[in-house]
Amino acid sequence: MTIRKVLLSPDHSIFAYSTETEGMEYGDLHFKYLNDKEADVYAHRLGTDQAEDILIYEEPDETVFVDITSTKDSKYVTINSNSLASSEIRVVDISHDFSTGTSPKLQLIEPRKKGIEYYVDHHDDTFYILTNADGATNFKLTRAPDGKLEKENWEDVITMGPMEKIEDVDVFQNHIVVYGRREGLPMILCHNLQTLETHNVDLPEKFCVLQPGTNLDFNTDTFRFSILSPFAHESTYDYDMGTQKLKPVQVQSIHHMKLHGKNPVLMRSYGAYGVSTDPDFRIEHFPLLERGWVIALAHVRGGSELGREWYEDGKLEKKMNSFKDFISVADYLIENKVTKPEYLSAIGTSAGGLLVDLFKALVLRVPFVDPLSAMLNPDLPLTQVEYPEWGNPSEDPKIYDLIESYSPYENIAVASPDNDDEKPQLQQHGYPSLYVTAGLKDQRVAYWQPLKLIAKMRQQQKQQSESSNNNNNSEENNNKTLTKIDLDRGHFGGGMEQDVRLTEAAEQVAFLISEVQKS
């Protein structure tokens, strides 16, 4: 039994902690001194009895999450009632005198509307509102004056192009910092509140993962952020918004390699749930980079590297776009003479395991390779939750046919001795070497999915071998099909246990090198 998370409520009246069995991803949530109404917001004066607390707000909708924050300038408390696709925020003036026992005035920013999200902060006499309203699917920053918070008073400050999106906003005394992406790469914009001009912050690395710092000071012209690149550990920088100068707290060197047309390539992607594939630091890449490998990150549709539409174009009936994009990246690497097919390999994890096909070697980590069986079984832990992503094949024949068309398990051609298989058979050496992992306690991708795939692959390989012998074909097929089942863990394997994670990574890297770069 493991304690996964603990949390103390702002008024120190509720202590919550969750426990779970290793790898199971579900367990028990425990509360101590729990109030009867979880969605009620009270004002509590330090040093007074809890019975004197003042009820500020009651949320009647049990499907929304209620949290309390304060604006960066410490002028308002915000009561945020958010669902997965809607927002409703009320603000309370911090200057209200609660010692009188009276309730403060609640100001509603905008009533909840399906599909409309917004988040607020405050500066001087103006509210700044990050929203996807008015068709701004990749979000925009707007503003409204105090006392005129209705949506018709929202004025655009920073808008995004079709290949850009805003991910976070931080407000300071003289500037507003916007974190986002442009053409799949991280960007920072700095907006001057005096001149109303906006400039780009030149990042020290083009291909990197950007992490905003914890910038709590409102009255400052400097903010901090960190970057991770594929070539170096995390580096931290301070940026002076007034002088527009970047000061590195730590600098790491980058090494370059020569491309000669036969470089082994490791492709990596995910392409589902809007999860972006970032060029983060991975120590397991170094043995490959030192041997002249190219690490190729495929930003396929289904991720959100290029905004919300990029994600929407890779789900449900448009899921095939994810696979087309992945193949297009592989074709580009070959056509531009970075590599050759016999040097191509790929890693796919979970839903990313759907993407990889027809490579020299594949590492499939807890891969979602039998989506049809999974989505047909509503009793599995996540099936019904996943309908918005993949569709419901039990109710829609078109969704059934679509999932069947891209499911790896359904598309392994196994010859039948009794009749001709309508599906095209893989040619000799047409299947890759496989290294597949599974977790016996995995609640996201059941262990039987990769085991079914491996069983079918081995059946296909056996039949190919027998066919070759019957045809007096002396060419030997040395491609391997390996499976590793973790009996004690779930979907995330060793998780934060670094020695376990590095051992697993070392095995997978050794497999790739032995299969792709044998000489």
Side-chain angles (χ1 to χ4, degrees):
M1 190 69 67
T2 303
I3 296 178
R4 283 297 181 191
K5 192 171 184 179
V6 298
L7 189 65
L8 190 65
S9 67
D11 63 0
H12 292 200
S13 65
I14 307 171
F15 180 77
Y17 64 97
S18 63
T19 61
E20 71 175 49
T21 302
E22 182 71 36
M24 297 305 290
E25 290 194 65
Y26 63 83
D28 297 316
L29 181 62
H30 306 265
F31 294 95
K32 198 167 185 178
Y33 306 114
L34 177 64
N35 290 333
D36 292 334
K37 298 180 179 180
E38 296 177 72
D40 292 351
V41 178
Y42 287 85
H44 174 81
R45 294 181 63 227
L46 294 177
T48 65
D49 191 275
Q50 188 174 341
E52 300 177 22
D53 290 357
I54 302 171
L55 178 63
I56 305 297
Y57 175 69
E58 294 180 89
E59 175 55 66
D61 190 342
E62 296 181 353
T63 66
V64 304
F65 301 93
V66 178
D67 65 83
I68 306 170
T69 59
S70 63
T71 58
K72 190 74 173 286
D73 62 0
S74 300
K75 290 185 177 180
Y76 288 92
V77 171
T78 65
I79 302 173
N80 312 295
S81 301
N82 300 320
S83 69
L84 294 177
S86 68
S87 305
E88 189 171 83
I89 298 177
R90 292 166 174 82
V91 296
V92 177
D93 192 328
I94 285 180
S95 65
H96 177 79
D97 186 2
F98 287 97
S99 65
T100 62
T102 59
S103 296
K105 177 184 177 182
L106 278 180
Q107 298 183 66
L108 175 64
I109 301 293
E110 180 67 16
R112 184 181 299 121
K113 295 180 182 178
K114 184 177 180 181
I116 302 299
E117 302 173 56
Y118 68 92
Y119 310 90
V120 303
D121 211 326
H122 189 266
H123 177 278
D124 197 10
D125 59 357
T126 303
F127 280 94
Y128 285 88
I129 305 162
L130 178 64
T131 181
N132 66 347
D134 305 320
T137 56
N138 292 332
F139 284 84
K140 64 179 179 178
L141 182 65
T142 66
R143 65 186 177 191
D146 290 0
K148 296 183 179 180
L149 304 182
E150 297 81 6
K151 183 176 174 298
E152 55 264 26
N153 298 314
W154 295 4
E155 177 187 353
D156 289 353
V157 178
I158 297 176
T159 60
M160 294 287 102
M163 305 292 280
E164 301 173 328
K165 71 170 182 173
I166 298 178
E167 295 182 331
D168 199 2
V169 172
D170 205 352
V171 177
F172 298 90
Q173 178 63 54
N174 299 313
H175 300 84
I176 294 178
V177 176
V178 174
Y179 301 94
R181 289 179 183 268
R182 178 182 291 124
E183 296 185 345
L185 299 177
M187 70 170 180
I188 301 178
L189 303 178
C190 187
H191 179 75
N192 190 306
L193 289 170
Q194 278 70 48
T195 66
L196 303 183
E197 295 178 348
T198 303
H199 68 268
N200 286 284
V201 176
D202 293 329
L203 299 179
E205 298 284 349
K206 181 178 181 181
F207 300 100
C208 65
V209 179
L210 175 64
Q211 296 180 338
T214 305
N215 297 291
L216 299 179
D217 191 357
F218 178 70
N219 296 295
T220 181
D221 285 327
T222 302
F223 72 92
R224 176 167 290 187
F225 65 92
S226 299
I227 65 168
L228 295 89
S229 83
F231 314 105
H233 283 287
E234 179 177 338
S235 300
T236 303
Y237 295 84
D238 287 335
Y239 184 77
D240 191 314
M241 295 176 277
T243 63
Q244 299 186 21
K245 290 185 178 180
L246 191 66
K247 178 184 177 182
V249 178
Q250 181 180 5
V251 178
Q252 296 286 353
S253 61
I254 298 175
H255 301 282
H256 299 281
M257 67 175 67
K258 294 181 179 180
L259 299 178
H260 47 68
K262 294 184 180 180
N263 293 77
V265 169
L266 175 63
M267 289 181 61
R268 183 163 60 86
S269 191
Y270 193 78
Y273 308 110
V275 175
S276 297
T277 300
D278 288 318
D280 51 2
F281 177 83
R282 299 196 176 202
I283 196 169
E284 60 265 30
H285 285 168
F286 275 76
L288 302 177
L289 295 171
E290 291 171 352
R291 290 169 169 81
W293 283 58
V294 173
I295 310 298
L297 307 184
H299 289 172
V300 305
R301 282 171 285 185
S304 62
E305 293 87 355
L306 300 183
R308 180 74 183 188
E309 291 184 6
W310 195 250
Y311 163 48
E312 297 288 345
D313 280 344
K315 61 183 289 193
L316 295 173
E317 68 276 1
K318 297 180 180 179
K319 189 61 202 171
M320 289 299 294
N321 288 335
S322 300
F323 313 115
K324 292 177 181 177
D325 291 349
F326 198 77
I327 294 171
S328 294
V329 173
D331 289 340
Y332 176 88
L333 294 171
I334 295 169
E335 291 170 2
N336 286 270
K337 303 187 184 306
V338 175
T339 189
K340 293 184 177 181
E342 57 265 33
Y343 298 112
L344 266 178
S345 67
I347 285 182
T349 301
S350 190
L354 289 169
L355 291 176
V356 290
D357 189 19
L358 299 180
F359 286 74
K360 175 61 179 176
L362 302 178
V363 173
L364 304 181
R365 300 187 289 211
V366 290
F368 190 46
V369 287
D370 189 14
L372 187 59
S373 294
M375 298 309 297
L376 285 170
N377 187 350
D379 295 328
L380 293 177
L382 294 179
T383 294
Q384 297 185 58
V385 177
E386 300 281 2
Y387 286 154
E389 182 75 20
W390 311 98
N392 186 349
S394 298
E395 295 184 354
D396 190 338
K398 291 183 179 179
I399 292 295
Y400 183 103
D401 293 339
L402 176 64
I403 296 178
E404 184 182 37
S405 71
Y406 63 69
S407 167
Y409 176 76
E410 302 295 338
N411 287 278
I412 296 174
V414 178
S416 171
D418 300 323
N419 60 312
D420 294 333
D421 196 323
E422 295 179 357
K423 295 181 180 179
Q425 300 298 302
L426 293 173
Q427 301 298 318
Q428 183 75 8
H429 297 289
Y431 54 85
S433 292
L434 292 179
Y435 182 102
V436 184
T437 70
L440 194 63
K441 298 178 180 179
D442 195 335
Q443 299 298 303
R444 300 182 181 227
V445 178
Y447 68 91
W448 47 258
Q449 285 202 39
L451 289 183
K452 284 178 64 177
L453 179 80
I454 289 298
K456 197 170 184 180
M457 284 291 295
R458 288 176 175 168
Q459 181 185 0
Q460 189 268 349
Q461 292 172 10
K462 179 180 179 181
Q463 292 180 355
Q464 278 194 350
S465 177
E466 293 173 349
S467 176
S468 298
N469 293 334
N470 294 335
N471 295 329
N472 297 320
N473 187 344
S474 60
E475 188 175 359
E476 185 180 0
N477 187 340
N478 293 317
N479 290 348
K480 299 180 178 64
T481 305
L482 307 179
T483 314
K484 183 177 181 179
I485 309 296
D486 193 324
L487 302 180
D488 297 319
R489 294 182 174 89
H491 193 67
F492 299 101
M496 299 304 293
E497 300 175 32
Q498 183 163 308
D499 57 337
V500 175
R501 190 183 70 81
L502 291 179
T503 298
E504 293 172 348
E507 293 174 352
Q508 295 162 14
V509 169
F511 168 79
L512 291 172
I513 294 173
S514 66
E515 292 303 303
V516 177
Q517 200 176 22
K518 297 181 179 180
S519 58

